[in-house]
């Protein structure tokens, strides 16, 4: 799906706004994510850390679970805003969760907090070329 530059900017603005709601006192690395649904709604998530570090929740996975819990499973694009200078890259776990719902050609816009209007434009398949899929007798 082709996303207009206008829509990409709206998505990046929503992701940046979500990053400012991040709870990240340990890493001091706020991240925001915004998912565009096929019905053109925008749902956002931010990273939420915990003093038991391993319980930290990433912004992208939060956006996906928030969207699914709100009844949305079809997405047209994702924007992630984090880092300064260089945009934060989504971690492998978040990419695998996205691959549950989105195809390899799914557009992903990545921008830093200080340059939200100059995104790196990529796809889920480019970021995670070999997503895990269940296969075998009961799943093929
Ligand atoms: N983080 C995300 O929110 N998304 C990612 O894809 C990678 C990392 C967060 C987790 C943690 O709160 C902070 O960035 C530093 O690792």
């Amino acid at each position: 799906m082709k996303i207009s530059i206008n829509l990409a900017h709206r998505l990046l603005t929503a992701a940046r706004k979500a990053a400012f709601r991040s709870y990240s006192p340990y890493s001091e690395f706020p991240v925001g994510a915004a998912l565009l649904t096929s019905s053109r709604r925008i749902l956002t998530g931010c990273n939420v850390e915990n003093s038991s570090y391993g319980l930290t929740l990433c912004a992208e996975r939060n956006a996906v679970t928030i969207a699914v819990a709100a009844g949305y499973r079809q997405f047209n694009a994702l924007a992630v805003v984090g880092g300064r200078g260089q945009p934060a890259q989504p971690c492998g776990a978040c990419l695998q969760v996205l691959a549950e719902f989105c195809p390899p050609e799914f557009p992903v816009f990545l921008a830093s907090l200080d340059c939200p209007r100059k995104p790196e434009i990529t796809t889920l398949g480019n970021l995670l070329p070999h997503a895990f899929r269940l296969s075998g007798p009961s799943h093929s």
Side-chain angles (χ1 to χ4, degrees), residues 27 29 31 47 49 56 58-60 89-91 94:
S27 71
F29 195 90
V31 183
N47 54 333
E49 298 186 344
T56 290
C58 288
E60 301 89 322
Q89 298 288 326
C91 77
C94 287

Side-chain angles (χ1 to χ4, degrees), residues 31-129:
V31 183
L35 267 176
L36 178 69
T37 72
S38 58
S39 53
R40 293 174 75 88
R41 276 208 59 182
I42 293 177
L43 290 119
T44 61
C46 63
N47 54 333
V48 179
E49 298 186 344
N50 191 273
S51 60
S52 176
Y53 292 173
L55 299 182
T56 290
L57 302 165
C58 288
E60 301 89 322
R61 267 179 289 166
N62 270 340
V64 171
T65 53
I66 283 164
V68 171
Y72 302 96
R73 292 183 187 175
Q74 287 186 329
F75 307 115
N76 284 353
L78 169 75
V80 181
V81 174
R84 296 209 177 260
Q86 288 296 94
Q89 298 288 326
C91 77
C94 287
L95 294 171
Q96 178 66 38
V97 168
L98 282 161
E100 186 72 22
F101 298 98
C102 310
E105 58 276 12
F106 180 72
V108 178
F109 301 91
L110 304 171
S112 64
L113 281 161
D114 43 1
C115 254
R117 291 182 77 83
K118 288 207 177 129
E120 190 181 308
I121 303 171
T122 185
T123 62
L124 180 58
N126 191 35
L127 293 165
L128 184 72

Side-chain angles (χ1 to χ4, degrees), residues 6-25:
N6 232 12
L7 195 48
H9 282 155
R10 270 185 54 205
L11 211 52
L12 286 157
T13 301
R16 189 165 183 272
K17 213 168 145 190
F20 288 108
R21 294 193 289 265
S22 155
Y23 177 72
S24 44

